[in-house]
Amino acid sequence: QVQLVESGGGLVQPGGSLRLSCAASERGFSILTMGWYRQAPGKGELVATISSDGSANYADSVKGRFTISRDSAENTVYLEMNSLKPEDTDVYYCKADIWNSGAFYIYWGQGTQVTVSS
């Protein structure tokens, strides 16, 4: 069972920055796409995704402020968030699409709270 372990959330003032990290607990499979969503899994807003070839996709609301990256060797994805706004306050969830032993799986992290407030 793969687990996605998130870290990096917290409280920051408007205009500040945070960096979220999400690491898969296991190795030996192919991670196709990794991404960040906010609000509950399955109902949330896509924030950013990054594919195995490094192609990134962003929500219009975060373009120019957030940057997603991944370390494929470490099965880790990062979200650098700059110029944060109060409306960015939410629970951020990591998602990974994994191909393993001939089957496709979707995994979600437990969520990390981001609060932007003065």
Side-chain angles (χ1 to χ4, degrees), residues 36-80:
W36 293 92
Y37 293 73
R38 46 195 184 190
Q39 297 175 1
K43 300 180 182 180
E45 173 194 10
L46 180 152
V47 177
T49 61
I50 185 166
S51 63
S52 56
D53 66 0
S55 300
N57 181 49
Y58 297 93
D60 288 342
S61 59
V62 306
K63 282 180 181 177
R65 301 188 298 122
F66 292 10
T67 302
I68 190 170
S69 61
R70 66 189 284 176
D71 182 338
S72 295
E74 297 296 327
N75 285 349
T76 301
V77 65
Y78 305 97
L79 185 68
E80 187 76 35

Side-chain angles (χ1 to χ4, degrees), residues 6 25 32 35-36 62 82:
E6 301 163 356
S25 61
L32 304 176
W36 293 92
V62 306
N82 298 315

